[in-house]
Amino acid sequence: MKRKLIAAIGVAGMLVSIAACGSDDDKASSKDPKDRNESLTVWLMSDAQSTWPELVKDVNTQFKTKYPNVKVNVQYQTWADKAKKLDAALAGDKFPDVVELGNTETMTYILNGALGEIDPKKYENSDTWIKGLKDTCAFEGKQYCVPYYAGARVAIYNKDMFKAGTGKDTLPATQDDLTAALDKIGEKYGKDKAFSPLYLPGRYWYAAMSYVAAEGGQIAKYDEGKKEWKSTLSTPEAQKGITDFVDLVKKYNHGDKTKDEADHANVMANEKTALLYGNGWEAGSVVDSKSNGNPKLTDKIGTAGMPGPNGKALPSFIGGSDLATISKSKVQDLGEEWISMFTSEKSEEVLASKNILPNNTKQLEPLKDKPETAAIANAVPDAWFTPIAPGWTAIEKKETLEIMLLDIIKGKSVEEVTKAADAEIDSMINKES
């Protein structure tokens, strides 16, 4: 795998890495903090600007106290165009020194040599970082980014609809009880042909792979002997999970089954469904008028762990964000220190106070008992993640999993389609994107 990393970085990337570790950087870091007079550019996503701006301000104040002559320039980005802007910036000479990355983005930038190596010992609570986030920052035993916050998917439901259909405004604890409740809700609201008791889009592969995980399957496995990844979607366990998902889509989604989950919060806001499986924060989107939500549903939307097959909770995909320094930055040491302050125990407590899951299990624990966060916090420990493999990004871009699901929903056999998906994934998964 060492050869793969070198090949991915290429000669230019290797030169960048050498420059980043050169004497100029060493000389700068040895200076007295009060004598440092560089600039530090930080790219954060807009969530920090809208939801925890006081944390950004406080950390910048802390940083200014230690480095009074260093200028920190925080620039806020949106998920829609961040990757494109970052790729363009990295190709030139004006790039951020610190960048926030979604945890599904990190491997691409690790493999192309864009991210600087970090020492976990420099960061508080690194010994209890949530594994699903820590793993997305690691390659060949080295760490290239710092977990920032976590996310997980939960059941988001309309309490009034469940009460009208079943007599109870709580979500059933098992999948058998849940489907019985959905049947009753379907009878209650079935006059509206566009109403879906459970709105589960057909291209929602994150949800489908949760059912795969629930049945003991996974997308791919790493073969230590051959030092390569192998797709495993055609195993009996994975096929069972995919069938579980497809059966739910066919029975309860009365809308467009070819869609993905991008607008499912709006479906609930328009009262066209009683239940979604989504990110915890999407419960807020359902009622937020700024997100085309419906404020009339405030206090009527609940969250809970999604019941899965076999009497257990449905395993969630572990989402979240990481923070990294850019390898060719001349102020990597300053970037590392800013990240350290921004992800300190004190800083993570600010996130936890806003019902955002912190980056470590120590501070996550109290949120498991807090009504507003119990569902999502309890979904984190058993969460799954995509293969941390060189070619995974290419697989996502090609929408291999989405196409596989739609083919099965349209009536093709699970055995035939998963076998073809395995072959396609095997052709890409071990190659650098």
Side-chain angles (χ1 to χ4, degrees), residues 153-156 175 178-179 182 195-211 241-265 267-268 272-278 306-307 314 405-406 409:
R153 284 169 168 77
V154 296
I156 302 171
Q175 184 166 291
L178 175 62
T179 53
L182 293 174
F195 180 82
S196 300
L198 164 62
Y199 186 72
L200 199 57
R203 293 177 60 231
Y204 192 2
W205 69 267
Y206 287 108
M209 294 304 110
S210 286
Y211 285 93
I242 292 168
T243 300
D244 292 343
F245 169 80
V246 169
D247 287 348
L248 289 171
V249 172
K250 286 183 173 180
K251 184 173 183 180
Y252 295 112
N253 180 359
H254 299 153
D256 185 349
K257 295 179 177 62
T258 67
K259 297 181 96 175
D260 63 19
E261 74 279 14
D263 69 344
H264 65 179
V267 174
M268 177 167 276
K272 297 297 183 182
T273 188
L275 176 64
L276 300 175
Y277 179 58
M306 186 72 168
L314 187 68
L405 293 171
L406 288 182
I409 289 170

Short mmCIF file of all heavy atoms in Angstrom, two decimals, residues 153-156 175 178-179 182 195-211 241-265 267-268 272-278 306-307 314 405-406 409:
data_model
loop_
_atom_site.label_atom_id
_atom_site.label_comp_id
_atom_site.label_asym_id
_atom_site.label_seq_id
_atom_site.Cartn_x
_atom_site.Cartn_y
_atom_site.Cartn_z
N ARG A 153 -27.92 8.74 11.16
CA ARG A 153 -29.29 8.76 10.64
C ARG A 153 -30.25 8.12 11.64
O ARG A 153 -29.90 7.15 12.32
CB ARG A 153 -29.36 8.06 9.28
CG ARG A 153 -28.80 8.92 8.16
CD ARG A 153 -28.60 8.14 6.87
NE ARG A 153 -28.34 9.02 5.74
CZ ARG A 153 -27.18 9.61 5.49
NH1 ARG A 153 -26.15 9.41 6.30
NH2 ARG A 153 -27.04 10.39 4.44
N VAL A 154 -31.43 8.70 11.72
CA VAL A 154 -32.45 8.25 12.67
C VAL A 154 -33.82 8.26 12.00
O VAL A 154 -33.99 8.77 10.89
CB VAL A 154 -32.49 9.18 13.91
CG1 VAL A 154 -31.19 9.12 14.69
CG2 VAL A 154 -32.79 10.63 13.50
N ALA A 155 -34.81 7.70 12.70
CA ALA A 155 -36.19 7.79 12.24
C ALA A 155 -36.72 9.18 12.58
O ALA A 155 -36.57 9.66 13.71
CB ALA A 155 -37.04 6.73 12.93
N ILE A 156 -37.34 9.83 11.60
CA ILE A 156 -37.98 11.14 11.79
C ILE A 156 -39.45 10.94 11.46
O ILE A 156 -39.79 10.52 10.36
CB ILE A 156 -37.35 12.20 10.86
CG1 ILE A 156 -35.84 12.31 11.12
CG2 ILE A 156 -38.03 13.55 11.05
CD1 ILE A 156 -35.10 13.16 10.11
N GLN A 175 -39.19 -3.65 14.07
CA GLN A 175 -39.62 -3.46 12.69
C GLN A 175 -40.98 -4.11 12.42
O GLN A 175 -41.78 -3.56 11.66
CB GLN A 175 -38.57 -4.03 11.72
CG GLN A 175 -38.92 -3.78 10.26
CD GLN A 175 -37.76 -4.03 9.32
OE1 GLN A 175 -36.79 -3.29 9.33
NE2 GLN A 175 -37.86 -5.07 8.51
N LEU A 178 -43.42 -1.77 13.69
CA LEU A 178 -43.41 -0.57 12.86
C LEU A 178 -44.20 -0.79 11.57
O LEU A 178 -45.02 0.05 11.18
CB LEU A 178 -41.97 -0.16 12.52
CG LEU A 178 -41.83 1.02 11.55
CD1 LEU A 178 -42.43 2.29 12.15
CD2 LEU A 178 -40.36 1.25 11.20
N THR A 179 -43.97 -1.90 10.89
CA THR A 179 -44.69 -2.14 9.64
C THR A 179 -46.20 -2.31 9.89
O THR A 179 -47.02 -1.88 9.07
CB THR A 179 -44.14 -3.37 8.90
OG1 THR A 179 -44.13 -4.50 9.79
CG2 THR A 179 -42.72 -3.10 8.41
N LEU A 182 -47.37 1.18 10.18
CA LEU A 182 -47.40 1.82 8.86
C LEU A 182 -48.60 1.36 8.04
O LEU A 182 -49.20 2.14 7.28
CB LEU A 182 -46.10 1.53 8.11
CG LEU A 182 -44.83 2.16 8.68
CD1 LEU A 182 -43.59 1.66 7.92
CD2 LEU A 182 -44.89 3.69 8.63
N PHE A 195 -49.65 9.91 -0.79
CA PHE A 195 -49.17 9.75 0.58
C PHE A 195 -48.41 8.44 0.73
O PHE A 195 -48.88 7.38 0.32
CB PHE A 195 -50.34 9.79 1.57
CG PHE A 195 -49.91 9.63 3.01
CD1 PHE A 195 -49.44 10.71 3.72
CD2 PHE A 195 -49.96 8.39 3.62
CE1 PHE A 195 -49.03 10.57 5.04
CE2 PHE A 195 -49.56 8.22 4.94
CZ PHE A 195 -49.10 9.32 5.65
N SER A 196 -47.23 8.52 1.34
CA SER A 196 -46.41 7.34 1.61
C SER A 196 -46.27 7.16 3.12
O SER A 196 -45.73 8.04 3.79
CB SER A 196 -45.00 7.50 1.01
OG SER A 196 -45.05 7.68 -0.38
N PRO A 197 -46.78 6.07 3.68
CA PRO A 197 -46.61 5.86 5.13
C PRO A 197 -45.13 5.97 5.55
O PRO A 197 -44.80 6.60 6.55
CB PRO A 197 -47.14 4.44 5.33
CG PRO A 197 -48.15 4.27 4.23
CD PRO A 197 -47.56 4.99 3.05
N LEU A 198 -44.25 5.37 4.74
CA LEU A 198 -42.80 5.51 4.90
C LEU A 198 -42.25 5.98 3.56
O LEU A 198 -42.41 5.30 2.55
CB LEU A 198 -42.16 4.16 5.27
CG LEU A 198 -40.64 4.04 5.12
CD1 LEU A 198 -39.90 5.03 6.03
CD2 LEU A 198 -40.19 2.61 5.40
N TYR A 199 -41.61 7.16 3.55
CA TYR A 199 -41.04 7.66 2.31
C TYR A 199 -39.57 7.24 2.27
O TYR A 199 -38.71 7.88 2.87
CB TYR A 199 -41.18 9.17 2.20
CG TYR A 199 -40.72 9.70 0.86
CD1 TYR A 199 -41.47 9.46 -0.29
CD2 TYR A 199 -39.53 10.40 0.73
CE1 TYR A 199 -41.05 9.92 -1.53
CE2 TYR A 199 -39.10 10.87 -0.51
CZ TYR A 199 -39.87 10.62 -1.63
OH TYR A 199 -39.45 11.07 -2.86
N LEU A 200 -39.30 6.15 1.58
CA LEU A 200 -37.96 5.61 1.46
C LEU A 200 -37.60 5.60 -0.03
O LEU A 200 -38.05 4.73 -0.78
CB LEU A 200 -37.94 4.18 2.02
CG LEU A 200 -36.59 3.57 2.42
CD1 LEU A 200 -35.87 4.43 3.46
CD2 LEU A 200 -36.80 2.16 2.96
N PRO A 201 -36.82 6.59 -0.50
CA PRO A 201 -36.52 6.70 -1.93
C PRO A 201 -35.71 5.51 -2.44
O PRO A 201 -34.86 4.96 -1.73
CB PRO A 201 -35.71 8.00 -2.02
CG PRO A 201 -36.06 8.75 -0.77
CD PRO A 201 -36.27 7.71 0.27
N GLY A 202 -35.93 5.13 -3.69
CA GLY A 202 -35.28 3.96 -4.26
C GLY A 202 -33.78 4.09 -4.43
O GLY A 202 -33.05 3.10 -4.38
N ARG A 203 -33.29 5.31 -4.64
CA ARG A 203 -31.85 5.52 -4.86
C ARG A 203 -31.11 5.86 -3.57
O ARG A 203 -29.94 6.27 -3.61
CB ARG A 203 -31.63 6.64 -5.89
CG ARG A 203 -32.11 6.29 -7.29
CD ARG A 203 -31.93 7.44 -8.27
NE ARG A 203 -30.53 7.82 -8.38
CZ ARG A 203 -30.08 9.06 -8.27
NH1 ARG A 203 -30.91 10.06 -8.00
NH2 ARG A 203 -28.80 9.33 -8.41
N TYR A 204 -31.75 5.67 -2.46
CA TYR A 204 -31.18 6.03 -1.15
C TYR A 204 -30.25 4.91 -0.67
O TYR A 204 -30.58 4.12 0.19
CB TYR A 204 -32.33 6.25 -0.17
CG TYR A 204 -32.00 6.89 1.15
CD1 TYR A 204 -30.72 7.33 1.48
CD2 TYR A 204 -33.01 7.07 2.10
CE1 TYR A 204 -30.45 7.92 2.69
CE2 TYR A 204 -32.75 7.67 3.32
CZ TYR A 204 -31.47 8.09 3.62
OH TYR A 204 -31.22 8.68 4.84
N TRP A 205 -29.04 4.87 -1.23
CA TRP A 205 -28.14 3.75 -0.96
C TRP A 205 -27.62 3.74 0.46
O TRP A 205 -27.28 2.67 1.01
CB TRP A 205 -27.00 3.71 -1.97
CG TRP A 205 -25.99 4.81 -1.88
CD1 TRP A 205 -26.00 5.98 -2.57
CD2 TRP A 205 -24.80 4.82 -1.09
NE1 TRP A 205 -24.89 6.74 -2.24
CE2 TRP A 205 -24.14 6.05 -1.33
CE3 TRP A 205 -24.23 3.93 -0.19
CZ2 TRP A 205 -22.94 6.40 -0.72
CZ3 TRP A 205 -23.02 4.27 0.43
CH2 TRP A 205 -22.39 5.50 0.16
N TYR A 206 -27.53 4.92 1.10
CA TYR A 206 -27.11 4.94 2.51
C TYR A 206 -28.07 4.11 3.36
O TYR A 206 -27.66 3.35 4.24
CB TYR A 206 -27.08 6.38 3.05
CG TYR A 206 -25.93 7.23 2.55
CD1 TYR A 206 -26.14 8.25 1.64
CD2 TYR A 206 -24.64 7.01 3.00
CE1 TYR A 206 -25.10 9.04 1.18
CE2 TYR A 206 -23.58 7.79 2.55
CZ TYR A 206 -23.81 8.81 1.65
OH TYR A 206 -22.77 9.58 1.20
N ALA A 207 -29.36 4.27 3.10
CA ALA A 207 -30.36 3.49 3.84
C ALA A 207 -30.26 2.02 3.48
O ALA A 207 -30.30 1.14 4.35
CB ALA A 207 -31.76 4.02 3.55
N ALA A 208 -30.13 1.73 2.19
CA ALA A 208 -30.05 0.33 1.76
C ALA A 208 -28.88 -0.39 2.41
O ALA A 208 -29.00 -1.53 2.86
CB ALA A 208 -29.92 0.28 0.24
N MET A 209 -27.72 0.29 2.48
CA MET A 209 -26.55 -0.35 3.07
C MET A 209 -26.68 -0.49 4.59
O MET A 209 -26.01 -1.33 5.20
CB MET A 209 -25.28 0.42 2.71
CG MET A 209 -24.96 0.39 1.21
SD MET A 209 -24.81 -1.29 0.51
CE MET A 209 -26.30 -1.35 -0.51
N SER A 210 -27.56 0.30 5.20
CA SER A 210 -27.85 0.10 6.63
C SER A 210 -28.56 -1.24 6.83
O SER A 210 -28.30 -1.96 7.80
CB SER A 210 -28.70 1.24 7.17
OG SER A 210 -27.92 2.42 7.32
N TYR A 211 -29.47 -1.58 5.91
CA TYR A 211 -30.15 -2.88 6.00
C TYR A 211 -29.17 -4.02 5.71
O TYR A 211 -29.27 -5.10 6.29
CB TYR A 211 -31.36 -2.91 5.07
CG TYR A 211 -32.51 -2.09 5.61
CD1 TYR A 211 -32.67 -0.76 5.25
CD2 TYR A 211 -33.39 -2.64 6.53
CE1 TYR A 211 -33.70 0.01 5.78
CE2 TYR A 211 -34.43 -1.89 7.06
CZ TYR A 211 -34.57 -0.56 6.69
OH TYR A 211 -35.58 0.20 7.23
N GLY A 241 -30.13 -8.06 3.04
CA GLY A 241 -30.33 -6.67 3.44
C GLY A 241 -30.89 -5.82 2.32
O GLY A 241 -31.78 -4.98 2.53
N ILE A 242 -30.37 -6.01 1.11
CA ILE A 242 -30.88 -5.27 -0.05
C ILE A 242 -32.34 -5.60 -0.30
O ILE A 242 -33.16 -4.71 -0.59
CB ILE A 242 -30.02 -5.59 -1.29
CG1 ILE A 242 -28.62 -5.00 -1.12
CG2 ILE A 242 -30.67 -5.03 -2.56
CD1 ILE A 242 -27.61 -5.50 -2.14
N THR A 243 -32.70 -6.87 -0.16
CA THR A 243 -34.10 -7.29 -0.33
C THR A 243 -34.99 -6.66 0.73
O THR A 243 -36.12 -6.22 0.42
CB THR A 243 -34.20 -8.83 -0.27
OG1 THR A 243 -33.40 -9.39 -1.31
CG2 THR A 243 -35.65 -9.28 -0.45
N ASP A 244 -34.51 -6.59 1.99
CA ASP A 244 -35.27 -5.93 3.06
C ASP A 244 -35.61 -4.50 2.65
O ASP A 244 -36.76 -4.05 2.78
CB ASP A 244 -34.45 -5.89 4.36
CG ASP A 244 -34.24 -7.25 4.99
OD1 ASP A 244 -34.97 -8.20 4.63
OD2 ASP A 244 -33.33 -7.37 5.84
N PHE A 245 -34.60 -3.78 2.16
CA PHE A 245 -34.77 -2.38 1.77
C PHE A 245 -35.75 -2.25 0.60
O PHE A 245 -36.69 -1.45 0.65
CB PHE A 245 -33.41 -1.79 1.40
CG PHE A 245 -33.48 -0.44 0.74
CD1 PHE A 245 -33.67 0.71 1.49
CD2 PHE A 245 -33.37 -0.31 -0.65
CE1 PHE A 245 -33.74 1.96 0.88
CE2 PHE A 245 -33.44 0.92 -1.26
CZ PHE A 245 -33.63 2.05 -0.50
N VAL A 246 -35.54 -3.03 -0.44
CA VAL A 246 -36.38 -2.94 -1.64
C VAL A 246 -37.84 -3.26 -1.31
O VAL A 246 -38.77 -2.60 -1.81
CB VAL A 246 -35.84 -3.86 -2.75
CG1 VAL A 246 -36.85 -3.98 -3.89
CG2 VAL A 246 -34.51 -3.34 -3.27
N ASP A 247 -38.06 -4.24 -0.46
CA ASP A 247 -39.43 -4.60 -0.07
C ASP A 247 -40.14 -3.43 0.61
O ASP A 247 -41.33 -3.16 0.35
CB ASP A 247 -39.42 -5.81 0.86
CG ASP A 247 -39.10 -7.11 0.13
OD1 ASP A 247 -39.12 -7.11 -1.12
OD2 ASP A 247 -38.83 -8.13 0.81
N LEU A 248 -39.41 -2.70 1.46
CA LEU A 248 -40.01 -1.54 2.14
C LEU A 248 -40.32 -0.43 1.14
O LEU A 248 -41.37 0.22 1.23
CB LEU A 248 -39.06 -1.03 3.23
CG LEU A 248 -38.91 -1.92 4.46
CD1 LEU A 248 -37.78 -1.42 5.35
CD2 LEU A 248 -40.21 -1.99 5.26
N VAL A 249 -39.40 -0.20 0.22
CA VAL A 249 -39.62 0.84 -0.80
C VAL A 249 -40.87 0.52 -1.61
O VAL A 249 -41.74 1.38 -1.82
CB VAL A 249 -38.39 0.95 -1.74
CG1 VAL A 249 -38.70 1.90 -2.91
CG2 VAL A 249 -37.18 1.46 -0.97
N LYS A 250 -40.97 -0.71 -2.07
CA LYS A 250 -42.09 -1.10 -2.93
C LYS A 250 -43.43 -1.03 -2.20
O LYS A 250 -44.45 -0.62 -2.78
CB LYS A 250 -41.88 -2.52 -3.45
CG LYS A 250 -40.81 -2.64 -4.54
CD LYS A 250 -40.74 -4.07 -5.04
CE LYS A 250 -39.81 -4.22 -6.22
NZ LYS A 250 -39.76 -5.62 -6.71
N LYS A 251 -43.44 -1.40 -0.93
CA LYS A 251 -44.71 -1.46 -0.20
C LYS A 251 -45.19 -0.11 0.29
O LYS A 251 -46.39 0.18 0.26
CB LYS A 251 -44.58 -2.42 0.99
CG LYS A 251 -45.89 -2.62 1.74
CD LYS A 251 -45.78 -3.69 2.80
CE LYS A 251 -47.13 -3.92 3.49
NZ LYS A 251 -47.04 -4.98 4.54
N TYR A 252 -44.25 0.76 0.73
CA TYR A 252 -44.68 1.97 1.43
C TYR A 252 -44.41 3.28 0.70
O TYR A 252 -45.02 4.30 1.04
CB TYR A 252 -44.03 2.01 2.82
CG TYR A 252 -44.49 0.89 3.71
CD1 TYR A 252 -43.62 -0.13 4.10
CD2 TYR A 252 -45.81 0.83 4.16
CE1 TYR A 252 -44.05 -1.17 4.93
CE2 TYR A 252 -46.25 -0.20 4.98
CZ TYR A 252 -45.36 -1.20 5.35
OH TYR A 252 -45.80 -2.22 6.15
N ASN A 253 -43.51 3.31 -0.25
CA ASN A 253 -43.25 4.55 -0.99
C ASN A 253 -44.19 4.62 -2.18
O ASN A 253 -44.01 3.91 -3.17
CB ASN A 253 -41.80 4.61 -1.44
CG ASN A 253 -41.49 5.89 -2.21
OD1 ASN A 253 -42.36 6.73 -2.43
ND2 ASN A 253 -40.24 6.05 -2.63
N HIS A 254 -45.19 5.51 -2.09
CA HIS A 254 -46.16 5.65 -3.18
C HIS A 254 -45.82 6.84 -4.08
O HIS A 254 -46.62 7.22 -4.93
CB HIS A 254 -47.56 5.81 -2.59
CG HIS A 254 -47.98 4.62 -1.78
ND1 HIS A 254 -48.90 4.70 -0.75
CD2 HIS A 254 -47.57 3.32 -1.81
CE1 HIS A 254 -49.05 3.50 -0.20
NE2 HIS A 254 -48.25 2.65 -0.84
N GLY A 255 -44.64 7.40 -3.87
CA GLY A 255 -44.19 8.50 -4.72
C GLY A 255 -43.26 7.99 -5.81
O GLY A 255 -43.32 6.83 -6.21
N ASP A 256 -42.38 8.85 -6.26
CA ASP A 256 -41.42 8.51 -7.31
C ASP A 256 -40.29 7.69 -6.71
O ASP A 256 -39.45 8.21 -5.98
CB ASP A 256 -40.88 9.80 -7.95
CG ASP A 256 -39.97 9.52 -9.14
OD1 ASP A 256 -39.59 8.35 -9.35
OD2 ASP A 256 -39.64 10.49 -9.86
N LYS A 257 -40.25 6.41 -7.03
CA LYS A 257 -39.26 5.51 -6.44
C LYS A 257 -37.86 5.69 -7.03
O LYS A 257 -36.89 5.12 -6.53
CB LYS A 257 -39.71 4.05 -6.59
CG LYS A 257 -40.98 3.71 -5.83
CD LYS A 257 -41.39 2.26 -6.06
CE LYS A 257 -42.62 1.89 -5.23
NZ LYS A 257 -43.81 2.68 -5.57
N THR A 258 -37.75 6.45 -8.10
CA THR A 258 -36.45 6.63 -8.74
C THR A 258 -35.66 7.80 -8.16
O THR A 258 -34.53 8.06 -8.59
CB THR A 258 -36.60 6.84 -10.26
OG1 THR A 258 -37.26 8.10 -10.50
CG2 THR A 258 -37.40 5.72 -10.90
N LYS A 259 -36.22 8.49 -7.19
CA LYS A 259 -35.55 9.65 -6.61
C LYS A 259 -34.57 9.22 -5.52
O LYS A 259 -34.62 8.10 -5.02
CB LYS A 259 -36.58 10.63 -6.03
CG LYS A 259 -37.53 11.21 -7.05
CD LYS A 259 -38.49 12.19 -6.42
CE LYS A 259 -38.03 13.61 -6.55
NZ LYS A 259 -39.01 14.58 -6.03
N ASP A 260 -33.69 10.16 -5.13
CA ASP A 260 -32.83 9.93 -3.97
C ASP A 260 -33.45 10.67 -2.79
O ASP A 260 -34.59 11.15 -2.86
CB ASP A 260 -31.39 10.37 -4.24
CG ASP A 260 -31.27 11.87 -4.52
OD1 ASP A 260 -32.19 12.65 -4.17
OD2 ASP A 260 -30.23 12.27 -5.09
N GLU A 261 -32.69 10.79 -1.70
CA GLU A 261 -33.24 11.34 -0.46
C GLU A 261 -33.11 12.86 -0.34
O GLU A 261 -33.45 13.43 0.70
CB GLU A 261 -32.55 10.68 0.74
CG GLU A 261 -31.12 11.12 1.03
CD GLU A 261 -30.08 10.44 0.17
OE1 GLU A 261 -30.43 9.81 -0.84
OE2 GLU A 261 -28.88 10.56 0.50
N ALA A 262 -32.63 13.53 -1.39
CA ALA A 262 -32.31 14.95 -1.28
C ALA A 262 -33.47 15.80 -0.79
O ALA A 262 -33.27 16.75 -0.02
CB ALA A 262 -31.81 15.47 -2.63
N ASP A 263 -34.71 15.50 -1.21
CA ASP A 263 -35.84 16.35 -0.83
C ASP A 263 -36.83 15.65 0.09
O ASP A 263 -37.97 16.08 0.23
CB ASP A 263 -36.56 16.85 -2.09
CG ASP A 263 -37.30 15.74 -2.83
OD1 ASP A 263 -37.00 14.56 -2.56
OD2 ASP A 263 -38.17 16.05 -3.66
N HIS A 264 -36.40 14.58 0.76
CA HIS A 264 -37.40 13.85 1.55
C HIS A 264 -37.91 14.63 2.75
O HIS A 264 -39.03 14.41 3.21
CB HIS A 264 -36.91 12.44 1.92
CG HIS A 264 -35.74 12.37 2.84
ND1 HIS A 264 -35.22 11.17 3.27
CD2 HIS A 264 -34.98 13.33 3.41
CE1 HIS A 264 -34.20 11.40 4.07
NE2 HIS A 264 -34.03 12.70 4.16
N ALA A 265 -37.11 15.58 3.27
CA ALA A 265 -37.60 16.42 4.37
C ALA A 265 -38.77 17.28 3.90
O ALA A 265 -39.72 17.53 4.66
CB ALA A 265 -36.48 17.29 4.92
N VAL A 267 -40.90 16.40 1.61
CA VAL A 267 -42.05 15.50 1.50
C VAL A 267 -42.79 15.44 2.84
O VAL A 267 -44.01 15.51 2.89
CB VAL A 267 -41.60 14.09 1.07
CG1 VAL A 267 -42.78 13.12 1.08
CG2 VAL A 267 -40.99 14.14 -0.35
N MET A 268 -42.03 15.34 3.92
CA MET A 268 -42.65 15.33 5.24
C MET A 268 -43.25 16.69 5.58
O MET A 268 -44.33 16.78 6.17
CB MET A 268 -41.64 14.91 6.31
CG MET A 268 -42.20 14.93 7.73
SD MET A 268 -41.15 14.08 8.93
CE MET A 268 -41.72 12.38 8.70
N LYS A 272 -46.86 14.53 3.30
CA LYS A 272 -47.06 13.42 2.36
C LYS A 272 -46.44 12.12 2.87
O LYS A 272 -46.42 11.13 2.15
CB LYS A 272 -46.48 13.77 0.99
CG LYS A 272 -47.15 14.96 0.30
CD LYS A 272 -48.62 14.68 -0.01
CE LYS A 272 -49.26 15.83 -0.76
NZ LYS A 272 -50.70 15.59 -1.04
N THR A 273 -45.94 12.15 4.09
CA THR A 273 -45.41 10.93 4.70
C THR A 273 -45.47 11.05 6.21
O THR A 273 -45.48 12.15 6.76
CB THR A 273 -43.97 10.64 4.25
OG1 THR A 273 -43.58 9.35 4.73
CG2 THR A 273 -42.99 11.67 4.80
N ALA A 274 -45.48 9.89 6.86
CA ALA A 274 -45.46 9.86 8.32
C ALA A 274 -44.08 9.55 8.87
O ALA A 274 -43.81 9.79 10.05
CB ALA A 274 -46.45 8.81 8.83
N LEU A 275 -43.18 9.03 8.01
CA LEU A 275 -41.88 8.56 8.50
C LEU A 275 -40.80 8.68 7.44
O LEU A 275 -41.00 8.34 6.28
CB LEU A 275 -42.00 7.09 8.93
CG LEU A 275 -40.74 6.36 9.39
CD1 LEU A 275 -40.17 7.00 10.66
CD2 LEU A 275 -41.02 4.89 9.63
N LEU A 276 -39.64 9.18 7.89
CA LEU A 276 -38.43 9.25 7.08
C LEU A 276 -37.31 8.57 7.83
O LEU A 276 -37.35 8.42 9.05
CB LEU A 276 -37.99 10.70 6.84
CG LEU A 276 -38.90 11.68 6.15
CD1 LEU A 276 -38.24 13.06 6.18
CD2 LEU A 276 -39.16 11.25 4.71
N TYR A 277 -36.26 8.21 7.09
CA TYR A 277 -35.01 7.77 7.71
C TYR A 277 -33.96 8.76 7.23
O TYR A 277 -33.59 8.76 6.06
CB TYR A 277 -34.67 6.34 7.29
CG TYR A 277 -33.37 5.83 7.87
CD1 TYR A 277 -33.17 5.79 9.25
CD2 TYR A 277 -32.35 5.39 7.04
CE1 TYR A 277 -31.98 5.31 9.78
CE2 TYR A 277 -31.15 4.91 7.57
CZ TYR A 277 -30.98 4.87 8.93
OH TYR A 277 -29.80 4.41 9.48
N GLY A 278 -33.51 9.66 8.12
CA GLY A 278 -32.61 10.71 7.67
C GLY A 278 -31.65 11.17 8.73
O GLY A 278 -31.64 10.67 9.86
N MET A 306 -34.12 4.06 14.40
CA MET A 306 -34.91 3.36 13.37
C MET A 306 -34.91 1.87 13.66
O MET A 306 -33.85 1.25 13.74
CB MET A 306 -34.32 3.62 11.99
CG MET A 306 -35.14 3.05 10.85
SD MET A 306 -36.66 3.98 10.60
CE MET A 306 -37.20 3.31 9.01
N PRO A 307 -36.08 1.27 13.85
CA PRO A 307 -36.13 -0.18 14.06
C PRO A 307 -35.62 -0.92 12.82
O PRO A 307 -35.97 -0.57 11.69
CB PRO A 307 -37.62 -0.46 14.29
CG PRO A 307 -38.21 0.87 14.66
CD PRO A 307 -37.42 1.88 13.91
N LEU A 314 -31.65 -0.33 13.55
CA LEU A 314 -30.99 -0.30 12.25
C LEU A 314 -29.64 0.39 12.38
O LEU A 314 -29.56 1.52 12.86
CB LEU A 314 -31.86 0.46 11.24
CG LEU A 314 -31.40 0.42 9.79
CD1 LEU A 314 -31.54 -0.99 9.22
CD2 LEU A 314 -32.20 1.42 8.96
N LEU A 405 -29.74 -0.61 -7.07
CA LEU A 405 -31.01 -0.61 -6.35
C LEU A 405 -32.19 -0.41 -7.30
O LEU A 405 -33.22 -1.10 -7.19
CB LEU A 405 -31.00 0.47 -5.27
CG LEU A 405 -30.02 0.25 -4.11
CD1 LEU A 405 -29.94 1.49 -3.23
CD2 LEU A 405 -30.42 -0.96 -3.27
N LEU A 406 -32.05 0.54 -8.22
CA LEU A 406 -33.15 0.81 -9.15
C LEU A 406 -33.42 -0.40 -10.04
O LEU A 406 -34.58 -0.71 -10.34
CB LEU A 406 -32.83 2.03 -10.01
CG LEU A 406 -32.88 3.39 -9.31
CD1 LEU A 406 -32.59 4.50 -10.29
CD2 LEU A 406 -34.23 3.62 -8.64
N ILE A 409 -35.45 -2.78 -7.95
CA ILE A 409 -36.80 -2.25 -7.76
C ILE A 409 -37.63 -2.44 -9.04
O ILE A 409 -38.83 -2.73 -8.98
CB ILE A 409 -36.75 -0.76 -7.36
CG1 ILE A 409 -36.21 -0.63 -5.92
CG2 ILE A 409 -38.12 -0.10 -7.47
CD1 ILE A 409 -35.88 0.78 -5.50
#
